[in-house]
Amino acid sequence: MTKEILLTIAGLHLTEGENVNVEVVTAGDYYRRGGKHYILYDEVTEGMTGHTGNVIKVGENALEITKKGLINARLVVE
């Protein structure tokens, strides 16, 4: 069963001479399948048309973030 969620992602953007706190709050969906947790949400980039679809998959020994759209990327942490 998919649940609607309110997702908050916070981080720190490190640049030369300045550190900026970044926080994104957005609506998303959550579900669990095959022992893994999934979080899906869309990301809008300022000044650009379109969006990036994001999937966060959390398993027992790994975290995977996949981005598709304006930005395409995949990060796996084991």
Side-chain angles (χ1 to χ4, degrees):
M1 176 197 320
T2 300
K3 296 179 183 178
E4 292 181 9
I5 61 169
L6 183 61
L7 179 67
T8 302
I9 299 174
L12 183 63
H13 186 128
L14 304 174
T15 60
E16 291 182 27
E18 185 178 4
N19 298 335
V20 179
N21 289 320
V22 178
E23 184 173 275
V24 174
V25 179
T26 187
D29 294 311
Y30 165 83
Y31 64 91
R32 184 175 177 157
R33 180 179 301 154
K36 296 181 180 168
H37 301 270
Y38 294 83
I39 299 170
L40 293 79
Y41 67 98
D42 287 335
E43 181 179 345
V44 178
T45 305
E46 281 187 43
M48 306 283 289
T49 57
H51 71 277
T52 302
N54 295 277
V55 178
I56 300 173
K57 180 169 55 172
V58 181
E60 186 174 325
N61 297 315
L63 167 79
E64 181 177 336
I65 302 171
T66 305
K67 295 175 164 284
K68 292 183 181 177
L70 291 175
I71 300 169
N72 295 305
R74 182 171 175 243
L75 171 68
V76 178
V77 180
E78 295 182 332

